[in-house]
Amino acid sequence: MISPVQRSTWIALVFVTASALGCQKANVDILPIGDKQVSVGQTLVFDVCVSGAGGQNVTFTFEVPDITGSHGANLTPYSNVCATFRWTPRSEHAGHHAFTFRASAGG
């Protein structure tokens, strides 16, 4: 008789913090993102968008202070007010992680 193989599921929980930096030309606000959950080896994809850019191009950045070394995540702008975030966690990334997104415009 062959026993069924049990498969462990590793989860990476992503807690999102968003902050926006404006200047005299534009006061931007990052639209709500919410917390996310993704399985190891699966790709998490979501958009980071702002309001209030006043026609200015927005610069997006992010950081993950609790992951050392290469995390493999990227944030790719696709318009002057939105960027797509992509991350495929590896097994060493299982656990809770706080990603901080920032946006600045016009200055």
Side-chain angles (χ1 to χ4, degrees), residues 49-97:
C49 296
V50 302
S51 65
Q56 299 291 316
N57 285 332
V58 176
T59 301
F60 294 93
T61 60
F62 74 95
E63 59 185 42
V64 194
D66 64 335
I67 296 180
T68 57
S70 175
H71 48 68
N74 64 62
L75 187 60
T76 307
Y78 67 86
S79 75
N80 66 329
V81 295
C82 290
T84 299
F85 175 79
R86 284 185 174 79
W87 181 47
T88 304
R90 300 182 301 264
S91 59
E92 64 267 24
H93 298 142
H96 297 197
H97 303 288

Side-chain angles (χ1 to χ4, degrees), residues 13-75:
L13 298 174
V14 178
F15 298 97
V16 176
T17 302
S19 63
L21 305 173
C23 72
Q24 293 177 356
K25 295 181 185 175
N27 187 14
V28 297
D29 292 309
I30 295 178
L31 300 177
I33 298 170
D35 295 334
K36 309 291 182 190
Q37 180 174 316
V38 62
S39 296
V40 167
Q42 300 297 311
T43 301
L44 175 65
V45 178
F46 59 88
D47 290 335
V48 179
C49 296
V50 302
S51 65
Q56 299 291 316
N57 285 332
V58 176
T59 301
F60 294 93
T61 60
F62 74 95
E63 59 185 42
V64 194
D66 64 335
I67 296 180
T68 57
S70 175
H71 48 68
N74 64 62
L75 187 60

